[in-house]
Amino acid sequence: MISKKDLQLVTDLAVQGLKTNKGRTILTTIGIIIGIATIVIVLSAGRGLENFIFKQIESFGADTIEIEIKVPSVSDLEMATSIVGGAEITTLKVEDFEAIKELQNIDDYYAAVLGQYKSVYKNQSTRAMIFAVTASLPQIDTDTKIQEGRFFNEREDSSQARVVVLGPDIKNTLFGGENAIGKTIKINQVSFKVIGVTEPRGNLMYFNFDKMIYVPLQTGQKQLLGIDHVMYGFLTVNDTKKTDQTVADINSIMRRRHGLPPNDPSKDDFRTTSMKDALEMVGTITFGMTLLVLAIAGISLVVGGVGIMNIMYLSVVERTREIGLRKAIGASNTLIKAQFLVEALIITGVGGILGIILGGLIVILIDFGAQLQGYDFGMTVTLDAIILGFGSALLFGVLFGLYPARKAAELSPVDALRYE
């Protein structure tokens, strides 16, 4: 057992030993700083990103189910590559949603398709995302709110009326401070009357809704895109406790309508996802990514730990005569071991604190940069990141400082004093 006086003595000796080799100490500490900073960044940024995605998904509503197109018999990565490469799935129709709406647990739906065209008003023009959607969108996606005018109705959708609702950024680009309601713009050389402007909403998932132009679905399909299918749609359920059964019923209806095998999901040309499934999927993905990057950070810490062990071992060799002299005047093996172990803990402790500070600053910069781009990640340095970071630093200090400390304690006083 080491007394308080002995502990103070070995601490003073450890600090003095580190000061004697400042350059070596600093270089050793850098490895720990980088490793701890990485842990703090990964956990804090990862948690912030996960919460951001959760909020984005939850904004669609816990009572919603999404149906989207899917390339049959391919993985998600292959599907994304296929769609980017020009593959087009044309089997998802509004009629599918109408059939699904007959289910007892389904309340309503909206279906949509996206396109991109040049939009012009007088001498102002911009290339905008065209969001062709059914008139029920505002009732289901309640974050879509009208700032000026109104949203189009079902009659305007079924009659293919040439009316549009502008996102605020599009309105400002084309009209500036001028009132847009009642004015006419051209989309792909087709004239449309502006009947509304949405409230600012910002980025959601992959889209900036402030840069959208909303048009009735059938108008967009027939007069702009020349298609009769949709890309995706959302349905609302009456009882969220029955969501899993409702998803199964939807899959059954879709497979029957599309002439697909009833029990072979790999052949599906659609994907059905409840918000519960989406949240679980995001949680699994972010957890896996966090573990992967933490493993990489662990490698950095191991490298730093090996550096500590080498530096400490070199320090033992250089101070062999000092160790022999201390043992000759009565220093116990425990005190010698404690001295060098404290040196390792000081290096990793200081490195851990500096790493937490550096990681925290980088997290703040990442969050600030994201806000400049319109993404509110809400990243903060979390308590578990601080505890794990500092705890890892001390653990590696003990693990990699123990061997050289033990070698120092095992030196024979006689042999040590004879060492040249």
Side-chain angles (χ1 to χ4, degrees):
M1 187 71 178
I2 301 178
S3 66
K4 185 177 180 180
K5 181 179 179 181
D6 289 337
L7 181 59
Q8 181 63 50
L9 175 63
V10 296
T11 301
D12 292 341
L13 289 171
V15 171
Q16 185 60 42
L18 294 175
K19 285 182 177 179
T20 304
N21 298 286
K22 293 180 181 178
R24 185 190 300 168
T25 302
I26 291 172
L27 290 174
T28 306
T29 307
I30 288 174
I32 300 298
I33 292 174
I34 293 173
I36 300 304
T38 304
I39 288 177
V40 172
I41 293 167
V42 168
L43 288 180
S44 300
R47 189 69 53 78
L49 180 60
E50 183 179 58
N51 290 336
F52 172 76
I53 296 175
F54 280 171
K55 289 178 183 177
Q56 299 281 291
I57 293 174
E58 288 172 345
S59 69
F60 290 104
D63 61 343
T64 58
I65 297 173
E66 181 188 19
I67 302 177
E68 61 181 333
I69 58 173
K70 174 182 174 293
V71 179
S73 304
V74 300
S75 66
D76 289 346
L77 179 60
E78 291 172 328
M79 184 180 76
T81 304
S82 299
I83 292 176
V84 170
E88 191 175 20
I89 305 300
T90 62
T91 52
L92 187 60
K93 306 289 178 67
V94 171
E95 290 76 14
D96 293 325
F97 289 91
E98 287 290 340
I100 293 169
K101 190 179 178 182
E102 297 301 317
L103 289 173
Q104 186 176 2
N105 197 36
I106 296 297
D107 177 46
D108 202 356
Y109 76 90
Y110 79 79
V113 65
L114 297 167
Q116 196 172 52
Y117 289 106
K118 183 179 180 180
S119 303
V120 180
Y121 174 70
K122 294 183 178 177
N123 61 342
Q124 298 296 323
S125 66
T126 184
R127 191 163 184 83
M129 185 68 73
I130 307 302
F131 193 19
V133 64
T134 48
S136 53
L137 171 69
Q139 286 73 50
I140 296 173
D141 184 2
T142 54
D143 286 333
T144 300
K145 295 181 173 64
I146 298 298
Q147 186 176 56
E148 302 173 43
R150 63 178 179 84
F151 205 75
F152 45 80
N153 54 44
E154 292 185 8
R155 180 181 57 80
E156 288 168 321
D157 186 8
S158 61
S159 65
Q160 299 182 32
R162 293 180 179 178
V163 293
V164 295
V165 176
L166 306 180
D169 286 359
I170 298 296
K171 185 267 179 186
N172 292 334
T173 300
L174 295 180
F175 293 91
E178 182 181 346
N179 181 21
I181 306 301
K183 303 293 174 54
T184 299
I185 67 171
K186 286 193 173 183
I187 303 175
N188 197 31
Q189 303 302 317
V190 180
S191 295
F192 287 84
K193 180 182 177 181
V194 178
I195 61 171
V197 178
T198 62
E199 290 185 359
R201 184 176 179 181
N203 292 299
L204 179 63
M205 302 302 283
Y206 308 108
F207 305 113
N208 185 342
F209 282 83
D210 295 346
K211 296 182 178 181
M212 292 277 195
I213 296 180
Y214 301 78
V215 303
L217 178 61
Q218 293 190 51
T219 305
Q221 287 177 321
K222 306 301 182 184
Q223 300 190 37
L224 288 176
L225 301 169
I227 60 175
D228 64 352
H229 60 274
V230 297
M231 294 176 62
Y232 75 97
F234 277 88
L235 306 111
T236 53
V237 299
N238 295 310
D239 186 354
T240 56
K241 294 179 180 178
K242 298 179 181 178
T243 297
D244 290 342
Q245 181 58 50
T246 303
V247 168
D249 293 340
I250 290 171
N251 290 338
S252 178
I253 291 173
M254 290 291 291
R255 286 167 187 157
R256 185 171 65 251
R257 287 182 57 84
H258 291 198
L260 300 171
N263 299 308
D264 189 0
S266 67
K267 297 293 193 297
D268 289 350
D269 55 3
F270 66 94
R271 189 206 319 272
T272 307
T273 308
S274 67
M275 291 305 102
K276 173 186 171 185
D277 294 336
L279 291 172
E280 290 177 352
M281 186 186 307
V282 169
T284 301
I285 292 172
T286 53
F287 179 72
M289 290 178 62
T290 300
L291 285 182
L292 176 62
V293 183
L294 282 178
I296 297 173
I299 294 173
S300 175
L301 283 176
V302 169
V303 172
V306 171
I308 291 173
M309 186 168 62
N310 289 335
I311 294 302
M312 296 302 299
Y313 189 74
L314 181 60
S315 179
V316 170
V317 174
E318 290 178 346
R319 294 155 65 185
T320 298
R321 287 178 60 82
E322 174 194 330
I323 295 168
L325 182 60
R326 290 197 63 216
K327 297 189 76 171
I329 60 175
S332 66
N333 288 352
T334 301
L335 284 177
I336 298 297
K337 184 188 296 183
Q339 176 184 338
F340 288 92
L341 195 56
V342 167
E343 285 188 26
L345 288 174
I346 290 174
I347 291 175
T348 54
V350 171
I353 293 172
L354 294 177
I356 291 170
I357 294 172
L358 176 62
L361 290 174
I362 293 175
V363 167
I364 292 172
L365 288 174
I366 292 174
D367 188 58
F368 179 71
Q371 289 184 27
L372 290 179
Q373 297 299 317
Y375 296 96
D376 185 14
F377 287 162
M379 292 181 184
T380 57
V381 179
T382 56
L383 180 62
D384 58 346
I386 294 174
I387 294 174
L388 180 60
F390 193 70
S392 299
L394 296 182
L395 177 62
F396 275 81
V398 172
L399 290 177
F400 290 95
L402 192 58
Y403 176 74
R406 182 179 296 168
K407 294 296 289 184
E410 291 175 352
L411 286 173
S412 165
V414 178
D415 294 336
L417 288 170
R418 289 177 179 174
Y419 182 80
E420 294 294 337

